[in-house]
Amino acid sequence: MSGSGQESTHRAIERVARESYGRLVAYLSSNTRDVASAEDALSNALVAALTTWPTDGVPQNPEAWLLTTARRSFIDLVRHQRVALASEPTLQLMREEREEMTLSTEFPDERLKLLFVCAHPAIDPSMHTPLMLQTVLGLDAARIAGAFLISPKTMGQRLVRAKTKIRDGGIQFEVPQEGELPQRLDAVIEAIYAAFGIGWDDMAGVDQSGRELADESIWLARVLLQLMPSEAEVRGLVALMLHCEARRPARRGADGRYIPLSEQDTKQWSLPLIKEAERHLAEAFKYGRSGRFQLEAAIQSVHAERARSGRIDWPAIAIFYEQLIRISPTLGSRTGYAAAIAEANGPEVGLAVLDAIALDDVSGYQPYWAVRAHLLQKLGNKPEALDAYNRAIGLTADPAVRQFLLQKRG
């Protein structure tokens, strides 16, 4: 096969893996509850595809091919990993499923169901989101670790322990009853938004995989809204993501230059997406149950108002951040509040908010140092501003953002 043909085949494999990962893992582990072995089997199937498809061509039904190959690998893995007597029930189950399997093009989408499965109360709550990101969306430990500000090795170890607990603890790998969905909803919302955030950061204006992950996250949020239309926070999530998505074309200049939100050309924003976001946000507020995602969407709504008025109502944004901190006092909300209150009441007020945050908590948090550098620079404190800029630049992975900070630093 020619180089262009091989490249096309590899792109096809990447696309199928990205679109089918969660469905295939859910299908493979739905009865055995062995998520780790299911992922290992699917990895083996993808390796086989990389070897076979460039020569034989992409199968007519790629998902079915991967499923068939992964199931064979799953049986081999179980046979080698477990004592024969203990393995026999699982092996028999897999054989029976293989015999009953039909390779139709109608393949059920189990991703949303699997999100709720991964939010099982017997699993460590701190691992709900990482487990969903890897198991359902196929993100590797390194990308997940970056979102949680820990090392890939540590995240990898935690994920292995979580999957082992699912297998060894006999956790029921099934969709919870309707009455159990609300208690797992917060974890599912967090995971969807975390995936969107990772895709948004990876996108860097041009990265196709990041764009597709962000699109997939919005799609999952819409499906979740169909499932639970009366949940205010789900509408808040959709509104927040749509407000961000509306500004995608304005995030970068024609030359790839990073453009901060307050300087973006509002003519490039998508008004239909903004209007849809506003409808969801207004509907969410009707329920009278204010939550984190509604407040974050409200902050973005105020920014969106600049497209009409030409100005940013910083005092309103600061108020929304105050309410957000009461509900979710994260580093992100506190840093955002510092930036907003600085615009509303002066840089010294914003700097005081940042000074109240323990330095140990923000050592690896880039937005904190970027905001701190900006405020110190406005106050004329050049030495400390330079140090903060250097910290922010060192923590920045996006080359365009790094160049933006270098120019600001001077």
Side-chain angles (χ1 to χ4, degrees):
M1 180 178 287
S2 66
S4 60
Q6 287 185 338
E7 183 179 347
S8 176
T9 301
H10 286 171
R11 284 200 301 269
I13 294 171
E14 291 174 0
R15 178 185 57 77
V16 174
R18 182 175 58 252
E19 295 177 353
S20 307
Y21 191 93
R23 289 196 290 270
L24 291 170
V25 170
Y27 199 92
L28 288 165
S29 53
S30 59
N31 288 309
T32 64
R33 298 192 296 274
D34 192 344
V35 179
S37 292
E39 290 191 317
D40 289 342
L42 182 54
S43 295
N44 291 340
L46 290 169
V47 171
L50 287 169
T51 303
T52 305
W53 293 7
T55 302
D56 297 347
V58 178
Q60 184 175 0
N61 191 332
E63 281 186 334
W65 190 98
L66 286 174
L67 177 60
T68 301
T69 306
R71 296 178 82 134
R72 295 194 190 107
S73 179
F74 201 151
I75 291 174
D76 290 339
L77 286 167
V78 171
R79 183 180 289 116
H80 286 92
Q81 290 176 357
R82 301 179 182 176
V83 178
L85 182 61
S87 301
E88 190 54 36
T90 299
L91 293 174
Q92 183 59 33
L93 179 63
M94 292 297 292
R95 293 188 192 103
E96 292 171 356
E97 288 181 342
R98 181 174 58 187
E99 291 171 1
E100 297 172 358
M101 179 181 61
T102 58
L103 305 184
S104 69
T105 55
E106 293 297 321
F107 201 89
D109 190 336
E110 300 291 330
R111 279 171 290 188
L112 188 60
K113 294 180 181 178
L114 188 53
L115 287 175
F116 279 99
V117 171
C118 290
H120 195 288
I123 300 173
D124 180 358
S126 68
M127 290 307 299
H128 284 162
T129 293
L131 190 60
M132 293 178 203
L133 292 175
Q134 187 178 69
T135 304
V136 182
L137 292 166
L139 302 184
D140 59 37
R143 292 177 77 189
I144 299 170
F148 287 83
L149 305 179
I150 63 174
S151 72
K153 180 179 180 180
T154 299
M155 179 56 72
Q157 291 170 341
R158 292 178 182 177
L159 284 164
V160 169
R161 285 197 296 268
K163 293 171 190 174
T164 300
K165 183 169 184 177
I166 292 175
R167 183 189 63 206
D168 297 345
I171 295 174
Q172 290 299 310
F173 205 89
E174 60 188 15
V175 181
Q177 298 298 313
E178 184 176 354
E180 298 176 296
L181 293 180
Q183 70 186 67
R184 303 189 188 190
L185 178 60
D186 286 348
V188 172
I189 292 176
E190 290 284 352
I192 292 175
Y193 187 59
F196 179 79
I198 293 172
W200 190 253
D201 290 341
D202 286 354
M203 197 186 304
V206 296
D207 189 294
Q208 186 64 26
S209 64
R211 176 169 298 181
E212 289 169 350
L213 179 58
D215 288 343
E216 182 71 4
S217 303
I218 293 174
W219 182 86
L220 283 170
R222 291 186 186 277
V223 174
L224 181 60
L225 182 59
Q226 292 175 5
L227 178 67
M228 309 180 77
S230 62
E231 289 291 340
E233 274 293 80
V234 177
R235 289 193 179 275
L237 171 68
V238 174
L240 172 60
M241 294 164 76
L242 291 179
H243 267 306
C244 295
E245 180 65 13
R247 302 174 191 133
R248 179 196 287 180
R251 293 182 68 204
R252 295 290 190 271
D255 56 356
R257 175 177 52 90
Y258 168 75
I259 304 175
L261 174 56
S262 60
E263 298 176 17
Q264 289 175 10
D265 180 2
T266 60
K267 293 185 179 64
Q268 295 186 46
W269 292 354
S270 170
L271 293 182
L273 286 179
I274 291 174
K275 289 179 180 177
E276 183 183 355
E278 290 297 294
R279 288 197 302 270
H280 285 300
L281 185 57
E283 188 67 26
F285 282 152
K286 289 180 182 178
Y287 292 101
R289 300 192 300 270
S290 182
R292 171 194 164 189
F293 290 95
Q294 294 169 72
L295 289 170
E296 291 199 22
I299 291 169
Q300 298 307 317
S301 176
V302 177
H303 279 291
E305 180 65 16
R306 181 164 68 87
R308 185 188 65 82
S309 67
R311 56 182 293 272
I312 302 174
D313 189 346
W314 288 110
I317 292 177
I319 290 172
F320 281 128
Y321 267 120
E322 287 177 351
Q323 297 175 19
L324 180 60
I325 289 172
R326 295 191 189 101
I327 296 173
S328 178
T330 63
L331 286 178
S333 61
R334 296 171 72 183
T335 301
Y337 175 63
I341 201 68
E343 293 290 345
N345 297 333
E348 65 282 352
V349 180
L351 192 60
V353 173
L354 293 181
D355 286 340
I357 304 175
L359 285 178
D360 288 344
D361 295 339
V362 297
S363 60
Y365 189 58
Q366 190 269 358
Y368 170 92
W369 295 103
V371 173
R372 186 176 186 84
H374 174 67
L375 298 184
L376 286 167
Q377 190 175 61
K378 292 186 73 172
L379 288 169
N381 190 334
K382 293 183 178 180
E384 290 191 35
L386 179 63
D387 179 66
Y389 269 122
N390 289 337
R391 294 284 293 268
I393 291 166
L395 292 167
T396 302
D398 185 337
V401 175
R402 186 182 301 115
Q403 184 61 35
F404 171 80
L405 292 173
L406 284 168
Q407 292 175 348
K408 287 290 184 181
R409 184 189 66 178

